[in-house]
């Protein structure tokens, strides 16, 4: 268990303090296996379970005294077990939330006491006892690197004496060792999916980076060297005893802006090691950082100067043939090594623009269109990527060119005696580096082209000229004059666009950003208050990012002044509404600092004064606002998780104040698109608080809570928790608020996902939610309709709900929506109509409204999801229509259309079409038509498949098509029989039933019987003759009988 915890488990340091287990699917799997092992231990190994530990396992528990019952003595806040050790010590002792356990039997009982919290208890226990074997058996059995001598030690001791305790220790050690192996094996699947590097990829990347390194200011690194010049035959430079751990080589990297970075390159990725050991010719191999996929990604997170200088390079290395060879070699490695990317070349595209000293130069810089280097184009590498990058840069230039910063003079005129303002040219902007792993689904609020406003001097309001007069005092005054000018500027209506653009046009924006770099807190606060207001404007946001304002604001987050931190975080929240700004915040360490703002106090602490509590809440609110804006990119979500943001957000979720709950829940619902966050939200107990806030008076908070449930309820455990905490009723009540469309979309989405569980559907019926959903089917935006119909589709799985929908008049609007064009809407509405069609009364209404024709027309839709959903819906329509055969024939070209869909490459489309053909073939005339359209050879081509869902419906289709003409013979001639025999080896009983029926029909042809017998069908069918499924039993017996009759006839013909 110690080896698995040390090597396989994923640890992190959340906030501050000792490492904790990350909330990841791998860790959850490991914990569940350990829990199962301990729970079963006392029943499987009662003698070993009674063994008393050398030292107790001790941790801080969440269990209260009330959960303990028989077998325990409760005295106030203290609980102890009746079972005691030989020295009279209780085997379980709980005092002041500290739990001490001395035997595996007590551990097993503990996990069975409170099943809901056992995962958290196991996690807390393992975090507090990183090597539990030491405490169970003693330090001589501890987990060590290299050879484990504990087993030999035990054997030697057993030979010397006959102590029964030694034998027990031996058994426990063996059992724990067996668990260790099980845990390590189960983690292999996760580990095998990680990025794998090889020596060639590392060597090429090092050679390429060396071309950019040196002593100059524009080089990306000062130096990059291997720690060893000796290379083994496999290309590795690490010593053999480290190569077995996957390590390839070790580097000493010297960036311009940090100290030397001692780096390990391994097959798993790149990470920091402990550096050179003092007085020894060796290094500390222990990992000291996260693992990155390559050297460039590692440096990008460690050195902002590296990113900036890399972006300035002009591809000089192309001039040297040897360098070009290295570059091309890197491309070959990228093509072969899984997980490698061309992000190195993304860095070197010259997207970073230096700020210029004069307004004319700045306009030229902003108006200049960026194009890829001709040398880049000549290489022919990733042409499509270059085109896309150039197009994206051109679009962003279009936005940025609108930010014509008409600065009439620089801010350097402020007295150097007082306010030490840095020149604007020293405020470096972040590079416009395309980050291909940013969230593709994120909504870019500022992605649209900003509207250019007339900038002439005519018809400008008085506020414009008033701000212009203040500008000279802002630029040229002492600190007092500057503060007065800032206060006077705040008297204007800064929410008005005229005032915002006036500040930009006359050069005040640059001065305001420079004021943030001073040591005068009053000037910083005044500047931030103005920037916070005007950054609501799209143009201003881009201009602040261009002028390097975000980098300075991130630094201010470390300030001890509470007001300064709050204002900086709020301004970051406004500016970080577009991708480049969010990336800049992360690259300059903003995410960790913002998470730190949440880490002030425990919510509900009674040790603080009211003033202190309000201050702390305000700081956390501002931090949460900024995290909310930043959380729209995948990398930022991961950065928030790694910085320990999840438990802090969970803690603030218990706060009663809506002003902080809104950004906290907003951040959580934004992050809930990631599986790791959904798992954390469930296991950290956040669902209860999210459900509680559905009943809040604030509609925005309700909307974010519903949206969080919408995303998290993909998991069954979460759906159950929502029901258990009483969340279904408030969701049903919120359907009455149909005016707020955003809230309605979130609520209907949450109801849709919760309705996937049948238990929840019963509750929704009890709360009259189905009738409310039907009433909302008209005059709603598409995003609301998709969710409403999705919810109705899930509810329709129960017959009573299909009746309710019909009685409420829900079928006509559903059929009408079949004429829509939205993919998600069509998928959901076809599912709902198909479910309703299983009731004959509903089917009559659908047929009268020409619903089946509309469904059939959707088979022409180019989207495979729509095609499959429509085909599934057609099946119950044919089954329940009065004159199904005539109805199907009335669709001109309908049968040819559905047969041609058997040429699709999509497995779901093929399975649904086979199911539809099964129903069509029940009518003899229709079967004759589809036979003429070539259904038999098309079905035969699909026979060699491993997909059990397709196998089932394909076998059913073949079974029903056999009854017409010579189709049985044709199936044999087109090689469909032998693959069908293999279907009987499937683990799915429904596949067995359908296949046996198909084989029974095919066995009517003698040649097919011979093929079946040659492929060993008799042995497989004999086992199924004894099945409890009567249909399978009869079909298997019938097929065997046909084969046997053929054999008897052959013998009779041969011997008379």
């Amino acid at each position: 268990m110690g080896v698995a915890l040390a090597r396989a488990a994923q640890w992190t340091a959340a906030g501050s303090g000792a490492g904790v287990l990350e909330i990841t699917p791998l860790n959850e799997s490991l914990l569940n296996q350990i829990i199962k092992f301990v729970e079963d231990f006392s029943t499987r190994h009662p003698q070993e379970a009674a063994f008393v530990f050398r030292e107790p396992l001790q941790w801080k528990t969440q269990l209260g005294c009330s959960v303990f019952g028989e077998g325990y003595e409760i005295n106030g806040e203290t609980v102890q077990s009746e079972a005691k050790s030989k020295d009279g010590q209780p085997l379980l002792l709980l005092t002041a939330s500290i739990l001490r356990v001395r035997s595996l039997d007590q551990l097993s009982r503990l996990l069975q006491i409170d099943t809901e919290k056992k995962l958290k208890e196991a996690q807390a226990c393992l975090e507090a006892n990183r090597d539990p074997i030491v405490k169970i058996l003693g330090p001589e059995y501890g987990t060590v690197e290299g050879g484990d001598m504990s087993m030999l030690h035990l054997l030697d001791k057993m030979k010397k004496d006959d102590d029964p305790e030694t034998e027990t220790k031996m058994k426990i050690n063996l059992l724990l060792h067996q668990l260790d192996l099980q845990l390590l094996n189960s983690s292999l699947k996760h580990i095998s999916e990680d990025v794998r590097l090889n020596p060639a990829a590392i060597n090429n990347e090092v050679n390429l980076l060396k071309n950019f390194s040196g002593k100059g200011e524009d080089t990306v690194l000062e130096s990059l060297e291997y720690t060893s010049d000796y290379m083994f035959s496999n290309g590795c430079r690490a010593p053999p005893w480290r190569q077995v751990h996957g390590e390839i080589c070790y580097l000493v990297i010297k960036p311009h802006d940090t100290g030397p970075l001692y780096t390990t390159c391994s097959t798993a990725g790149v990470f920091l090691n402990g550096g050179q050991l003092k007085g020894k010719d060796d290094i500390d191999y222990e990992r000291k950082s996260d693992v990155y996929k390559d050297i460039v990604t590692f440096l990008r997170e460690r050195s902002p100067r590296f990113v900036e200088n890399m972006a300035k390079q002009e591809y000089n290395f192309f001039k040297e043939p040897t360098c070009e060879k290295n570059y091309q070699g890197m491309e070959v490695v990228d093509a072969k090594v899984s997980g490698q990317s061309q992000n190195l070349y993304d860095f070197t595209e010259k997207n970073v623009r230096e700020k210029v000293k004069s307004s004319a130069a700045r306009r030229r810089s902003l108006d200049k269109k960026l194009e890829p280097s001709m040398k880049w184009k000549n290489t022919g590498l990733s042409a499509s990527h270059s085109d896309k990058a150039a197009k994206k840069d051109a679009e962003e230039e279009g936005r940025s060119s609108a930010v014509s910063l008409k600065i009439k003079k620089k801010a350097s005129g402020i007295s150097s005696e007082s306010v030490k303002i840095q020149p604007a040219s020293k405020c470096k902007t972040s590079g416009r580096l395309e980050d291909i792993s940013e969230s593709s689904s994120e909504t870019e609020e500022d992605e649209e082209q900003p509207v250019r406003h007339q900038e002439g001097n005519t018809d400008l309001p008085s506020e414009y000229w008033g701000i212009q007069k203040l500008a000279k005092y802002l630029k040229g005054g002492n600190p007092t004059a500057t503060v007065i000018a800032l206060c006077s500027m705040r008297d204007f209506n800064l929410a008005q666009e005229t005032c915002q653009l006036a500040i930009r046009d006359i050069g005040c924006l640059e001065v305001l950003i420079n004021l943030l770099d001073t040591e005068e807190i009053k000037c910083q606060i005044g500047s931030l208050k103005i920037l916070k207001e005007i950054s609501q404007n799209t143009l201003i946001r881009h201009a602040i990012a261009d002028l390097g304002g975000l980098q300075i604001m991130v630094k201010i987050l470390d300030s001890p002044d509470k007001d300064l931190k709050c204002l900086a975080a709020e301004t970051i929240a406004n500016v970080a509404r577009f991708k480049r700004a969010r990336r800049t915040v992360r690259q300059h360490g903003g995410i960790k600092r913002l998470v730190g703002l949440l880490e002030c106090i425990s919510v509900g602490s009674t040790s603080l004064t009211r003033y202190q509590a309000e201050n702390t809440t305000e700081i956390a609110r501002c931090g949460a606002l900024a995290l909310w804006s930043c959380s729209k990119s995948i990398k930022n979500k991961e950065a928030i998780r790694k910085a320990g943001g999840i438990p802090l957000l969970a803690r603030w979720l218990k706060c009663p104040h809506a002003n902080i709950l809104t950004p906290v829940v907003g951040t959580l619902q934004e992050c809930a698109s990631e599986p790791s966050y959904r798992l954390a939200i469930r296991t950290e107990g956040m669902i209860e608080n999210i459900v509680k806030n559905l009943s809040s008076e604030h509609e925005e908070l309700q909307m974010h809570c519903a949206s969080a449930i919408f995303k998290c309820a993909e998991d069954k455990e979460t759906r159950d928790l929502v029901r258990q905490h009483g969340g279904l009723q408030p969701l049903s009540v919120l359907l009455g608020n149909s005016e707020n469309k955003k809230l309605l979309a979130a609520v209907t989405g949450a109801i849709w996902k919760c309705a996937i569980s049948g238990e929840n559907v019963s509750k929704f019926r009890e709360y009259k939610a189905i009738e409310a959903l039907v009433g909302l089917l008209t005059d709603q935006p598409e995003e609301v309709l998709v969710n409403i119909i999705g919810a109705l589709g899930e509810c329709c799985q129960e017959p009573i709900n299909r009746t309710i929908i019909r009685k409420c008049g829900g079928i006509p609007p559903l059929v009408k929506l079949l004429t829509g064009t939205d993919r998600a809407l069509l998928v959901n509405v076809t599912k709902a109509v198909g479910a309703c069609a299983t009731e004959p009364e509903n089917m009559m209404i659908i047929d009268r409204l020409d619903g089946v024709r509309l469904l059939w027309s959707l088979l022409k839709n180019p989207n495979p999801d729509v095609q499959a959903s429509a085909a599934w819906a057609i099946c119950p329509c044919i089954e329940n229509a009065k004159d199904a055969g005539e109805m199907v024939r009335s669709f001109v070209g309908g049968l040819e259309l559905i047969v041609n869909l058997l040429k699709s490459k999509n497995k779901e489309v093929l399975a649904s079409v086979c199911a539809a053909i099964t129903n069509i073939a029940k009518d003899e005339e229709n079967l004759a038509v589809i036979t003429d359209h070539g259904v038999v050879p098309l079905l035969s081509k699909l026979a060699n498949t491993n997909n059990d869902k397709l196998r089932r419906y394909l076998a059913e289709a073949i079974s029903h098509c056999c009854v017409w003409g010579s189709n049985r013979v044709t199936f044999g001639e087109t090689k469909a029989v032998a693959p069908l025999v293999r279907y009987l080896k499937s683990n799915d009983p429904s596949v067995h039933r359908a296949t046996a029926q198909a084989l029974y029909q095919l066995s009517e042809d003698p040649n097919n019987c011979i093929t079946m017998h040659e492929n060993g069908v008799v042995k497989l069918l004999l086992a199924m003759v004894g099945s409890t499924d009567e249909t399978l039993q009869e079909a298997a017996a019938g097929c065997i009988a046909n084969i046997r009759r053929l054999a008897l006839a052959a013998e009779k013909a041969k011997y008379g």
Side-chain angles (χ1 to χ4, degrees), residues 18-76:
V20 297
L21 283 166
E22 286 186 88
I23 301 170
T24 64
L26 172 58
N27 281 351
E28 188 180 30
S29 172
L30 294 176
L31 285 171
N32 282 327
Q33 288 179 69
I34 293 170
I35 289 168
K36 189 174 188 312
F37 172 85
V38 175
E39 281 180 334
D40 298 341
F41 196 88
S42 58
T43 54
R44 290 186 177 182
H45 314 285
Q47 185 178 347
E48 288 74 24
F51 175 78
V52 179
F53 298 165
R54 174 75 68 87
E55 291 178 39
L57 295 178
Q58 177 176 314
W59 70 93
K60 189 172 183 179
T61 182
Q62 296 180 4
L63 298 177
C65 299
S66 58
V67 300
F68 293 89
E70 187 179 351
Y72 297 95
E73 299 171 3
I74 303 173
N75 185 12

Side-chain angles (χ1 to χ4, degrees), residues 851-997:
V852 184
R853 186 183 299 276
L854 292 173
L855 283 171
W856 216 286
S857 67
L858 289 175
L859 296 175
K860 300 176 185 176
N861 192 291
N863 188 285
D865 292 337
V866 176
Q867 290 174 346
S869 190
W872 287 122
I874 285 169
C875 296
C877 290
I878 297 173
E879 286 177 10
N880 293 285
K882 279 191 174 180
D883 190 359
E886 184 59 36
M887 177 187 72
V888 170
R889 285 192 294 280
S890 69
F891 304 141
V892 179
L895 291 172
E896 184 180 4
L897 171 62
I898 204 160
V899 169
N900 284 333
L901 280 176
L902 290 172
K903 299 173 184 176
S904 172
K905 302 295 182 186
N906 186 286
K907 293 286 193 293
E908 188 69 19
V909 171
L910 293 172
S912 60
V913 169
C914 286
I917 286 173
T918 300
N919 287 286
I920 291 168
K922 290 175 183 177
D923 181 88
E924 194 174 77
E925 288 185 47
N926 290 337
L927 176 55
V929 174
I930 61 175
T931 300
D932 291 342
H933 286 308
V935 73
V936 172
L938 287 172
L939 289 172
S940 299
K941 281 183 181 179
L942 301 176
N944 287 299
T945 179
N946 294 322
N947 184 295
D948 275 349
K949 189 174 185 179
L950 176 55
R951 281 176 166 184
R952 173 191 171 182
Y953 292 104
L954 175 60
E956 287 181 359
I958 290 172
S959 172
H960 283 81
C961 288
C962 280
V963 300
W964 176 256
S966 60
N967 283 358
R968 289 189 184 88
V969 178
T970 310
F971 277 121
E973 291 170 352
T974 51
K975 311 295 183 187
V977 178
L980 279 173
V981 174
R982 292 196 293 273
Y983 290 10
L984 296 174
K985 297 177 183 178
S986 167
N987 294 322
D988 188 346
S990 61
V991 174
H992 295 165
R993 186 188 311 114
T995 305
Q997 288 176 307

Side-chain angles (χ1 to χ4, degrees), residues 4 140 208 265 441 459 490 643 776 794 877 884 926 933 992:
E140 62 268 33
L208 187 60
C265 300
S441 62
D459 300 328
R490 287 198 67 221
L776 293 170
E794 296 298 339
C877 290
N926 290 337
H933 286 308
H992 295 165

Side-chain angles (χ1 to χ4, degrees), residues 221-358:
L221 299 168
E222 281 189 19
S223 66
L224 183 151
E225 299 295 338
Y226 291 108
T227 58
S228 171
D229 293 329
Y230 182 77
M231 184 188 294
F232 291 89
S233 59
N234 60 0
C236 295
R237 296 172 189 262
W241 61 89
R242 298 306 302 176
Q243 289 184 32
V244 297
H245 297 289
E247 293 176 7
I248 297 170
C249 65
Y250 310 100
L251 302 171
V252 181
I253 305 172
K254 292 184 180 177
H256 290 290
D257 51 353
T258 66
L261 302 173
Y262 296 91
T263 311
T264 299
C265 300
S266 73
T267 55
V270 180
F271 55 86
L272 274 181
N273 58 48
Q276 193 78 24
L277 292 172
K278 290 183 180 179
K280 295 184 180 180
D281 189 19
D282 203 356
I283 63 173
D284 179 2
Y285 298 107
E286 186 177 351
R287 180 162 66 89
K288 304 293 185 183
S289 74
D290 292 332
V291 180
Y292 300 88
K293 66 181 179 180
D294 52 35
I295 300 172
V296 170
T297 307
F298 167 78
L299 289 171
R300 183 182 177 186
E301 295 293 332
R302 294 277 162 183
S303 172
R305 180 83 175 273
F306 170 81
V307 178
E308 292 178 9
N309 285 2
M310 202 64 177
K312 296 177 188 175
Q313 298 302 321
E314 289 286 356
Y315 304 103
N316 293 326
F317 62 94
F318 279 121
K319 297 176 184 177
E320 300 294 331
T322 55
C323 298
E324 183 173 352
K325 184 178 178 181
N326 287 334
Y327 183 91
Q328 291 167 346
M330 188 68 179
E331 182 200 14
V332 173
V333 172
D334 284 350
K336 292 179 180 178
V337 181
S338 172
Q340 297 293 297
S341 68
Q342 294 182 345
N343 58 356
L344 178 61
Y345 311 121
D346 295 343
F347 300 153
T348 56
E349 190 168 351
K350 192 173 183 181
N351 291 336
V352 174
R353 294 188 303 254
E354 295 291 336
K355 280 187 289 179
V356 290
K357 296 183 179 180
S358 67

Side-chain angles (χ1 to χ4, degrees), residues 765-835:
R765 184 169 64 250
E766 181 184 329
Y767 300 138
K768 306 293 182 184
I770 298 170
E771 292 89 336
L773 287 168
V774 171
L776 293 170
L777 278 173
T778 53
D779 300 324
Q780 300 296 341
E782 276 189 347
E783 60 175 340
V784 176
L785 283 173
V786 168
N787 295 341
I788 291 172
I789 296 166
L792 289 174
E794 296 298 339
C795 293
C796 280
Q797 304 307 312
E798 294 185 6
I800 188 171
N801 295 335
R802 296 194 285 266
T803 305
I804 291 172
I805 290 172
R806 184 184 74 250
K807 289 180 177 178
C808 292
I811 293 177
L814 282 175
V815 172
K816 186 177 179 182
L817 288 169
L818 289 171
T819 58
T821 55
D822 181 76
R823 183 200 66 82
L825 180 62
L826 287 174
V827 168
N828 284 355
V829 77
T830 46
K831 181 179 178 181
V833 170

